[in-house]
Amino acid sequence: MDRRHRSDKYLISEQPGMKILLTGLILAFLIGYTTKSVLSPARIKAQLEKAASHIHKDIKVSFDSAELSLADGILPRFAIVIKQVRMESDQACWMSPVLEIDEMRLPVSVWGLITKESPIKTIDADNMQLTLRGTIDACEKEKQELKKAAADGDKERAPLVTLSPSEQADKYRNDIRGLNIQSFKIISAQYPQYPSELLSFKASVKSFEPRVVEVHAKTNFLRDETVGDYLSHANLFLEYKEVPEQSLQAHFFGNWREGHYSVIAHYSLADHLLNVETDMKHIPLSQVLQVLQKYDLVSKDLNGKQVWVSAKARMTGEAEKLKSAPLEVKDFRIEGDLGEMSIDQASFTSVDPLRYKPLLIDIQNMRIDKLMAFINRPQKARIFGDLGSFTGQAEFVSEKDIRMVGEHHGLQFIFSNKSEREVQTVDRIAGEMSLKGDTWNIAVTRAEPRGGKFIGNVKVKADRDFKDVSLNADIDEVTLAPAVQSLMTDGGEIGTLTLNAEARMTEGKVSLVHGSAQLDTLDVEGMTFGKSKAKFDLKQKDVVILAQAQSMVIEDDSVGVEVFGKVTNPDWWVDQKLSLRDLNGEVHWKNDQSLQWKNVKAKVDKDKELETTGAWDQYGMLSGRVNARAGKSLQVLKIGGRRDVPTFEFEAHANTRK
């Protein structure tokens, strides 16, 4: 017995590895059992619920489960995992937030447990969503209610923001130095369709005493959904520090399509002073407008395609009064298909309401058709072709005091006749335009029609909406390009026109037309008019024209033969021409489709005369009579048919050419 006992003892003593193994198993069992007891899900959840109750009296915290995790996939990890976390508050001045986290991980440091330091240094989360259920207006309303309650001596009303007692804060103070979130989405209940998302969100405490906290994140907040994220990258940097003063520094920068931008802000918590500086280079205006239009900050009618904007700006003021803070803008430039507009420096004394010092805008080659498309008002008038471009300067003193001086180039008027078209281009129009109060004044002092001539001036006066408009034209000479003259006269010529006219439109309807015109010669479709003149007035919604012409010669091959050949005798024609003189009469122009002429007379010689009265209606149907006198002989014809195919029926017979 003694010998065998000594042998067993010898075997055990000769194998120290066995001792270590057995000791390790016992210790592992004890540690595992203790850890399971101390860090069981129920105990962890109870401890977290107790800690959460001391975060803030106005914040409610709840979560579904909490447990200890010893692995992250195949990798070891010692962490507390909390799932389905929800934090919410009804504070109006916090915009009634709700914070939802699908999973939070609190990595536990074993070394921290051994050294009795804080075992948790960082917090990790996958997806976090912050929903702001309230609005700034609700905060202002609550402030007013509290002021009223204080004035009424109501001591039961709670303050806007209540903080936990300092001793409670010290009791639950921790050494957490980092917060990492894969995706952090922010949603406003006022604009739920426009969420913001921060990616790779990292917050870290650089120092506790004095406190310095930094935040880094990326976002695609300004991305274009039609082209993806690769053209829009944004970076966010925040820094909070307590020395030399409590302040928050923010830097937001990145690419926006083909442009880039930078926003730097500094906020002083002591005096609530906010300073913001921005720098934008070649930012697509269409993207800026989309963002502004989402929040109803600009008209949805604006269309900024193929237009880019660059600018630098700076604003400094109290955070709560930022709308009334001064704003300085430098190197503002708009360029693209629209043309170019630039402002060297602009000073806004207030953003809401908008107030500014006089602005001087330099305009280069501003395309009017692109400008009309920009404001979604494409021109539909058929008389215009290319609307040309404007170069000059605009001075804005206020919204009711504006002045523009410059030149318009390349304006095109379209003339058509018998399905053919010709364009009259005006190479240059010089003048100025101003708004005083609610009245526009426009003056054209010089114009250069291509291939023609213009000497005179035109003045226009109108209300802000151009519903009440008055026009005065004093033109000494105007001629059109030869190609336009040929088209409008079927190979003929239009002489020099002199015009003095006044017109007025009230509530969008013509209320006055008055003036006179002279034309030195006119050759149209084989009919040549000598020096002619006319006076015109608006009477009872009709434009009444009193016209005179010294002479009129109708060639035998002209279209006039179809009419004059049927109402005159053959002996009135000399050398295959009919020569008339002293033409005069009255014309009533009702609209584009209706016209009436009265007592239109012309002489061939002292004893031969034509006289006619008639009209055509809106359907082009003719009616009227023609009297042809030759000495004591009178021939009367009834006019009928259509405007383009007239007919004549005899009422009294005489020797006539048929």
Side-chain angles (χ1 to χ4, degrees):
M1 290 292 292
D2 294 339
R3 193 172 186 177
R4 187 171 58 252
H5 177 74
R6 285 196 303 269
S7 176
D8 292 341
K9 182 178 180 181
Y10 173 78
L11 289 173
I12 294 175
S13 63
E14 290 297 322
Q15 299 182 26
M18 185 64 70
K19 288 183 178 181
I20 295 173
L21 178 60
L22 292 173
T23 303
L25 289 173
I26 294 171
L27 288 175
F29 173 77
L30 293 175
I31 292 173
Y33 182 81
T34 304
T35 301
K36 183 176 180 181
S37 302
V38 176
L39 299 179
S40 66
R43 182 177 289 271
I44 292 173
K45 185 174 182 181
Q47 291 294 326
L48 289 175
E49 288 175 343
K50 183 178 180 181
S53 66
H54 293 278
I55 291 177
H56 195 288
K57 70 176 290 292
D58 296 323
I59 299 177
K60 299 177 183 178
V61 182
S62 64
F63 55 91
D64 283 358
S65 64
E67 60 184 10
L68 181 66
S69 173
L70 300 178
D72 183 9
I74 62 173
L75 299 177
R77 178 188 64 174
F78 193 40
I80 297 174
V81 179
I82 312 170
K83 295 185 178 181
Q84 302 302 319
V85 181
R86 180 182 175 90
M87 305 174 70
E88 60 182 309
S89 173
D90 293 327
Q91 281 289 350
C93 287
W94 294 350
M95 299 180 71
S96 303
V98 175
L99 183 65
E100 297 172 290
I101 309 169
D102 59 351
E103 181 178 290
M104 287 178 61
R105 295 175 296 279
L106 312 179
V108 179
S109 170
V110 176
W111 180 253
L113 292 174
I114 296 173
T115 60
K116 297 184 179 180
E117 294 180 359
S118 176
I120 298 176
K121 300 292 186 180
T122 61
I123 299 176
D124 299 330
D126 290 336
N127 299 302
M128 182 181 293
Q129 178 171 301
L130 175 63
T131 303
L132 302 175
R133 298 172 294 176
T135 63
I136 296 297
D137 295 338
C139 178
E140 294 299 323
K141 181 180 179 181
E142 183 166 330
K143 285 182 179 179
Q144 295 300 323
E145 291 178 353
L146 287 173
K147 287 181 180 179
K148 185 177 183 300
D152 295 341
D154 186 357
K155 298 181 180 180
E156 295 182 359
R157 291 295 302 272
L160 291 178
V161 178
T162 57
L163 298 177
S164 301
S166 59
E167 61 271 15
Q168 292 291 341
D170 292 336
K171 181 179 179 181
Y172 289 94
R173 185 171 181 172
N174 57 65
D175 293 325
I176 293 177
R177 291 180 173 272
L179 172 63
N180 304 314
I181 307 171
Q182 292 184 12
S183 173
F184 184 14
K185 185 176 289 187
I186 303 172
I187 298 175
S188 169
Q190 189 173 3
Y191 303 102
Q193 67 274 38
Y194 309 124
S196 304
E197 186 176 16
L198 299 173
L199 305 174
S200 302
F201 183 94
K202 297 180 181 297
S204 58
V205 179
K206 297 299 182 180
S207 170
F208 282 103
E209 296 293 342
R211 188 175 296 274
V212 178
V213 180
E214 289 185 0
V215 174
H216 296 264
K218 296 181 179 180
T219 180
N220 297 115
F221 171 65
L222 301 175
R223 69 175 181 263
D224 186 345
E225 300 290 349
T226 61
V227 298
D229 297 344
Y230 64 94
L231 288 177
S232 176
H233 303 287
N235 298 275
L236 174 66
F237 169 75
L238 299 173
E239 181 187 53
Y240 168 79
K241 58 183 180 180
E242 296 179 338
V243 291
E245 63 174 358
Q246 279 189 310
S247 64
L248 180 65
Q249 184 87 9
H251 189 193
F252 186 70
F253 61 97
N255 297 326
W256 200 356
R257 295 288 293 265
E258 54 270 38
H260 64 274
Y261 58 91
S262 172
V263 180
I264 300 175
H266 182 271
Y267 177 62
S268 173
L269 278 69
D271 52 15
H272 304 289
L273 195 65
L274 177 64
N275 177 270
V276 181
E277 295 184 15
T278 64
D279 188 358
M280 298 187 299
K281 297 292 186 183
H282 210 62
I283 299 296
L285 184 59
S286 60
Q287 303 298 301
V288 178
L289 291 175
Q290 283 182 20
V291 174
L292 296 178
Q293 289 166 350
K294 284 179 180 179
Y295 300 99
D296 299 324
L297 297 178
V298 299
S299 171
K300 288 184 171 56
D301 290 335
L302 300 180
N303 178 8
K305 293 182 179 179
Q306 300 301 312
V307 180
W308 293 267
V309 60
S310 301
K312 295 179 181 178
R314 180 175 182 175
M315 174 183 282
T316 301
E318 293 184 33
E320 292 186 355
K321 301 178 181 178
L322 204 59
K323 290 183 178 181
S324 59
L327 171 65
E328 296 290 331
V329 178
K330 293 183 178 181
D331 302 329
F332 178 85
R333 180 180 298 276
I334 291 178
E335 56 190 329
D337 288 355
L338 190 66
E340 293 185 13
M341 289 195 305
S342 61
I343 302 175
D344 290 337
Q345 186 169 354
S347 297
F348 296 84
T349 56
S350 171
V351 176
D352 187 15
L354 185 64
R355 296 191 182 96
Y356 48 86
K357 296 179 180 179
L359 303 175
L360 188 61
I361 305 174
D362 185 64
I363 303 171
Q364 296 292 327
N365 298 318
M366 179 64 68
R367 301 289 307 173
I368 304 303
D369 55 349
K370 300 296 183 181
L371 178 62
M372 300 302 287
F374 172 71
I375 60 176
N376 267 337
R377 297 288 189 277
Q379 66 95 4
K380 299 179 181 179
R382 292 177 295 175
I383 64 170
F384 292 114
D386 192 333
L387 295 179
S389 63
F390 176 81
T391 296
Q393 286 188 332
E395 182 181 14
F396 284 74
V397 178
S398 70
E399 62 176 2
K400 291 190 175 183
D401 191 351
I402 303 171
R403 182 172 179 264
M404 297 177 66
V405 180
E407 296 183 353
H408 195 109
H409 299 268
L411 178 63
Q412 293 182 342
F413 294 90
I414 296 176
F415 292 83
S416 62
N417 187 21
K418 297 180 180 179
S419 301
E420 295 185 10
R421 289 159 47 104
E422 280 290 345
V423 174
Q424 174 66 68
T425 301
V426 183
D427 290 327
R428 176 172 175 258
I429 301 174
E432 65 178 65
M433 179 177 184
S434 65
L435 174 67
K436 291 288 186 179
D438 291 323
T439 303
W440 287 101
N441 284 281
I442 303 171
V444 176
T445 57
R446 185 174 179 177
E448 298 176 1
R450 186 177 300 173
K453 182 188 291 185
F454 178 92
I455 300 175
N457 60 77
V458 177
K459 295 181 179 179
V460 178
K461 187 176 183 179
D463 68 332
R464 181 180 287 270
D465 299 323
F466 280 81
K467 291 183 178 180
D468 298 332
V469 182
S470 63
L471 178 145
N472 286 276
D474 187 5
I475 302 173
D476 296 327
E477 293 184 30
V478 59
T479 57
L480 302 176
V484 175
Q485 295 185 41
S486 178
L487 173 71
M488 299 306 294
T489 59
D490 196 16
E493 179 184 359
I494 303 174
T496 299
L497 174 67
T498 300
L499 177 66
N500 292 280
E502 178 184 1
R504 187 176 302 147
M505 185 169 64
T506 305
E507 291 297 323
K509 297 181 179 180
V510 177
S511 59
L512 172 69
V513 176
H514 175 76
S516 62
Q518 293 185 10
L519 190 64
D520 60 357
T521 184
L522 175 63
D523 184 358
V524 53
E525 295 187 339
M527 298 181 291
T528 303
F529 292 83
K531 187 175 182 180
S532 306
K533 61 182 180 179
K535 293 182 178 180
F536 45 86
D537 285 283
L538 181 65
K539 296 180 180 179
Q540 297 180 351
K541 299 182 180 181
D542 292 353
V543 178
V544 179
I545 304 171
L546 301 177
Q548 297 178 355
Q550 286 183 346
S551 62
M552 176 181 179
V553 178
I554 299 101
E555 301 286 347
D556 187 60
D557 58 353
S558 76
V559 295
V561 173
E562 292 297 320
V563 175
F564 289 95
K566 295 180 180 180
V567 298
T568 59
N569 293 323
D571 59 346
W572 290 27
W573 295 72
V574 179
D575 296 331
Q576 297 183 335
K577 297 180 182 179
L578 175 64
S579 298
L580 303 175
R581 58 184 175 84
D582 298 334
L583 286 79
N584 63 85
E586 183 176 322
V587 177
H588 290 238
W589 183 33
K590 296 181 180 295
N591 50 54
D592 291 341
Q593 303 296 327
S594 178
L595 184 138
Q596 181 182 16
W597 64 93
K598 293 182 179 180
N599 303 321
V600 177
K601 298 179 181 180
K603 293 182 179 180
V604 176
D605 53 36
K606 63 180 181 179
D607 63 348
K608 295 183 180 68
E609 182 182 71
L610 286 174
E611 181 181 357
T612 178
T613 296
W616 67 64
D617 60 18
Q618 58 183 333
Y619 305 107
M621 301 303 295
L622 288 167
S623 62
R625 282 176 170 74
V626 177
N627 297 332
R629 296 180 183 275
K632 295 182 180 180
S633 175
L634 174 65
Q635 178 176 274
V636 180
L637 297 96
K638 183 179 179 181
I639 303 173
R642 298 181 60 83
R643 185 173 56 185
D644 52 344
V645 186
T647 62
F648 299 92
E649 181 182 344
F650 292 105
E651 290 189 355
H653 297 283
N655 247 347
T656 63
R657 179 185 178 189
K658 297 183 181 179

